[in-house]
Amino acid sequence: MKLGDRLYEIRTQKNISIYSLSKISEVSENHIRNIENNTKQPTVKTLKALTDGLNITLAEFFNYDDESPVYLTKQEQLMLNYYRRLSADVANNIVELCKNITKTK
């Protein structure tokens, strides 16, 4: 799959407009369109800004199978999808809860 196709796929799955991604990532709308149309190739720095804006890692961007990262189980992917919808405060609380639950006694 081409980079632009992958970017479009992830952006649309997350229901993020080009305008919103541009504001979050500080990459121009025109440049995002050119990348998605496969007429321009992003630099690593630009791709990192875009994946950060999409709230995914570069590994997740490049490592996929059936639209989900291949290194995560279906259960882990489900949890990750729910986690990404949380506000920063709630996400931090969940992380602390997980730390407390997994402490050995």
Side-chain angles (χ1 to χ4, degrees):
M1 178 179 292
K2 294 181 179 181
L3 287 177
D5 297 336
R6 181 70 173 144
L7 178 62
Y8 174 81
E9 175 184 68
I10 295 169
R11 182 181 62 75
T12 55
Q13 283 176 353
K14 291 179 165 279
N15 293 320
I16 298 174
S17 68
I18 290 177
Y19 173 81
S20 295
L21 182 56
S22 174
K23 293 299 177 193
I24 295 166
S25 66
E26 298 181 354
V27 175
S28 75
E29 291 179 65
N30 191 48
H31 194 46
I32 294 171
R33 281 189 191 89
N34 286 334
I35 293 168
E36 287 188 354
N37 290 328
N38 296 300
T39 58
K40 297 282 184 181
Q41 291 296 311
T43 63
V44 173
K45 182 179 178 181
T46 298
L47 189 56
K48 177 72 170 114
L50 292 169
T51 57
D52 286 349
L54 292 167
N55 199 23
I56 63 170
T57 66
L58 283 170
E60 289 172 301
F61 183 86
F62 286 108
N63 194 8
Y64 58 91
D65 181 30
D66 297 326
E67 300 180 14
S68 63
V70 296
Y71 56 88
L72 295 179
T73 67
K74 296 236 183 251
Q75 189 75 6
E76 290 168 332
Q77 183 62 41
L78 180 63
M79 291 298 295
L80 183 59
N81 289 337
Y82 285 127
Y83 176 83
R84 287 184 175 155
R85 295 178 190 161
L86 302 174
S87 68
D89 290 342
V90 174
N92 288 334
N93 289 338
I94 296 294
V95 169
E96 288 303 313
L97 175 64
C98 289
K99 285 179 186 176
N100 290 331
I101 291 172
T102 58
K103 284 184 183 174
T104 57
K105 295 181 181 183

